[in-house]
Amino acid sequence: MKVSYDDVRRTKTARLVMIDGHRVRVDQRAIKVWRKNPDAVFNAVLDSHTREYRMSGHETLRSGD
């Protein structure tokens, strides 16, 4: 699942967010990346134990590249 800063309603704190019926755990590392680059998109990976998606690597969108 791809997750943008807008998807998590530009949260400023690490927390659990619901996106299209899926529980997504937003961590402080993701928020730090989004503060520097609000257009970054994270891959969210399902944790089968907690049944929550967690942040993984991210992509940055740059105009002109």
Side-chain angles (χ1 to χ4, degrees):
M1 172 188 310
K2 302 284 187 182
V3 178
S4 71
Y5 203 20
D6 288 334
D7 291 334
V8 299
R9 296 176 288 289
R10 295 186 176 259
T11 184
K12 300 201 184 309
T13 59
R15 64 186 182 102
L16 187 65
V17 177
M18 293 297 289
I19 301 174
D20 296 329
H22 301 286
R23 298 179 335 170
V24 179
R25 176 73 53 191
V26 178
D27 59 26
Q28 198 60 43
R29 179 184 58 93
I31 294 169
K32 188 181 236 185
V33 169
W34 278 323
R35 284 185 181 153
K36 291 182 181 179
N37 186 350
D39 293 327
V41 176
F42 278 84
N43 295 310
V45 179
L46 181 63
D47 181 326
S48 61
H49 296 291
T50 62
R51 298 179 58 133
E52 295 175 355
Y53 283 83
R54 60 179 173 75
M55 297 298 172
S56 187
H58 69 280
E59 306 165 10
T60 54
L61 304 174
R62 296 181 188 157
S63 57
D65 286 349

